[in-house]
Amino acid sequence: MQKTTKDKTYRSAFIAASLIIVAIIVGATLLYIRATNNNMDQAVNTLSSFYMEELLGKREVVLKDALNRDFELLGRVVALIGTKEIQDQASLRKVLLFSQTLYGAKKLAMVDEDNTIYTAHSTFSDASRYAFLQKDFTEPRIVTSNLYGAKKQVVLAIPVEGIRVLGKRIIACFIQLDIDDVAGSLTSDNVNSSGKVFIGLYYKNGENLTTSKFDEIDSKQNLIKFIQKALLLAGQDSSKIGTSFHKGEKGLVTIKSADDIKYIYYSPVENTDWMLTVMVHDNTIADQLGNISRRILQRNVFQLISTMVFLIAMFLLIGSLYKRNGDIRRRHQELQIKARNEREQKMRLEEIATMAKAANMAKTNFLNSMSHDIRTPMNAIIGYTAMAKRYSDNSKVEDYLGKIDVSGRQLLSLVNQVLEMSRIESGKIVLSEEPADLVEKANAVRTIIAADCNMKNISFTIDTSGIVHKDVIQDVSRVNQIISNILGNAVKYTPEGGSISCTAVEKPWDKEGYGLYEIMVKDTGIGMSDEFLKHIFEEFSREKTSTISRIQGTGLGMSIVKKLVDLMGGDIDIQSTPGQGTVVTVSIPMKWDDVSRRRETEAQNLEAVDFRGKRLLLVEDNEMNREIASDILMESGFVVETAEDGLIAVEKVSNSVDSGKPGYYDVILMDIQMPRMNGFEATQAIRAILVAQDVHVPIIALSANAFEEDRQKSLEAGMDDHVAKPIDVQKLKETLAKYLRH
């Protein structure tokens, strides 16, 4: 009886406390709602300013991006022409027409130092409409003018250096746009469901740039005068509007009319004398405020209900303690939540892993495709250059062809490294350590860099006298890329009349049979700040100065250099002073090569093989590549037959078996990517035909697919070896000799 009375007392106390707390919460919520309603006017003003600033900010970004794209287009056109003398006006017009077609540019033109204007279709000397393009024109410029009557035109121009036409210096490249086209991107989504949001472009004197109305304001009406004559809400001074516009300040104006209230927000456009304006009617603000008010009310109701539910749950929990099972229930809930969280986390991790795998596969496919597509024309360039050198009897032409050959191979090396950047980051790249002559490679780099230095009148020296063991085993193509990147930066950022030196020195290394090769590049260029040096190895990093901003670059060069040096177990150090120059020192350990013994062995191997009369089947779908490879092979003594794809190759081998000559071909060179039947499928089919005859014919892949995994795929498909394009004649002969020696 006593226990029952005690339980009833506790229960009554719980109920009373619950009612008191609920009453307090309900009262507080009602007071909060009342206070919110009392501050509605302040909320309207705050929301109006925030909402309009957000609207205008988005349009500012759109306009800035559009102008930046046009400036970038001009930069591409200038870069496409390069630094050279154009012999006649017609040639320049052809270049401009090609640029218009390539980049989709309209009204593209150039002006020379005599104010002659060149377009894709004509040349004229009356440059009075473009008076702003004077000889002292040194910075990118945006100008608005009535060039052709009432409709205003926007001219975006950049200065040009190094291009001449008939001895006259080109000083500027510009593009001319209708102001309505420029403003068109701002009006694509200006009007909301109520039709009360408008965007305009005005000069700082209040004149409309476009031919479009700004709400009911006519295109010819001055916005400042309109605002000054309008009825403004209390606290606003109409006399200050003009001053604010002229100074290019941001501002908000509230105008009261007979029907509603209009909010006008204005802001200057960077690097122009324009003001971007937005007008919003009060019903639009009211709609936004209504949405927020509804969300606030819903949140308050949700908080009230949640609190009541929480209190009831608390009292039930306290009551459950009397039944001695509260701990069990809580523990059960915790385990359920933990299990659910673990399941959700596992699902998220699986989704992330799937996405990462798909992204990695897509990246790999892209790189493989790019490697093949770039190497195919490079094979033609290098191959035809080599053929032209053999048939040329002009020493000067031979010299030019030699430089083209060196440059082509250097370009191929750079392309390879850029395409393998992702492999460096993922740790999948494998260094191709091969015998090489460092001094010979340095001379190849000298040829390319010296040509660039001559164009800028820069003194360039390279000293390899400090190298004792010039024959090493290392991935020298990547060493070349490292040095070429550093020297390329030195040329790019060293002004005319400066100097660049490259010194290579061999130092002792603590591992037997190795040397530490230190390459130092020193220039008298513009230098770098200490702050930028902290970030120089970060991807896409470039120092933000007016000088560098006019020099094209991706900001990837030093990042690639750092990763390659680290991969080779080396070190890199950079010392630089703004205005005085930069010193870059790279130290890489390299293994010495017993070159005399190796070359003697290679010579013996080549001499031991006579290719004359050997029958070779060349499977290649590209006509130019077939012609190049056929000429090289026939000069070595091979009897060459060709097949345009894998299916034809299989038919030729099958016909040789049917005619009783299963060993008709001594060797087969097989391309990989071909129509109808690729190289892998053709190899497997040929192997199936010949295995029944107990005959093995060497099949060697000759493909633009040049990554290590491509070599592995060739071997897995049944091929004996893999040679990458562009064709290295010496390497191809060595590979053929290895399989035709017996």
Side-chain angles (χ1 to χ4, degrees), residues 666-682:
D666 296 294
V667 64
I668 299 174
L669 290 181
M670 181 72 70
D671 190 16
I672 302 299
Q673 292 192 19
M674 294 182 292
R676 299 205 299 173
M677 179 182 285
N678 64 40
F680 297 144
E681 296 168 341

Side-chain angles (χ1 to χ4, degrees), residues 42 86 153 156 266 283 360 494 565 580 603 617 634 667 697:
Q42 182 179 354
I86 297 177
Q153 303 284 310
L156 289 83
Y266 53 89
N283 63 339
N360 188 57
T494 298
V565 170
Q580 297 184 21
L617 177 60
M634 285 189 292
V667 64
V697 175

Side-chain angles (χ1 to χ4, degrees), residues 278-345:
V278 58
M279 179 186 292
V280 179
H281 289 237
D282 61 347
N283 63 339
T284 303
I285 302 295
D287 290 342
Q288 297 294 322
L289 186 59
N291 292 334
I292 293 177
S293 299
R294 283 192 293 273
R295 289 197 294 270
I296 292 174
L297 181 60
Q298 292 171 356
R299 184 178 62 197
N300 291 336
V301 172
F302 176 79
Q303 289 176 342
L304 177 61
I305 295 174
S306 299
T307 303
M308 293 177 65
V309 171
F310 174 77
L311 290 173
I312 294 173
M314 286 293 295
F315 288 119
L316 291 175
L317 181 61
I318 293 173
S320 67
L321 290 175
Y322 289 99
K323 299 178 182 180
R324 298 182 180 180
N325 64 356
D327 292 339
I328 297 175
R329 291 186 179 180
R330 283 197 303 274
R331 181 59 181 165
H332 180 65
Q333 291 175 350
E334 290 173 358
L335 291 174
Q336 285 183 325
I337 293 172
K338 183 178 180 180
R340 183 171 64 251
N341 290 340
E342 289 177 351
R343 288 195 300 270
E344 292 175 354
Q345 185 177 11

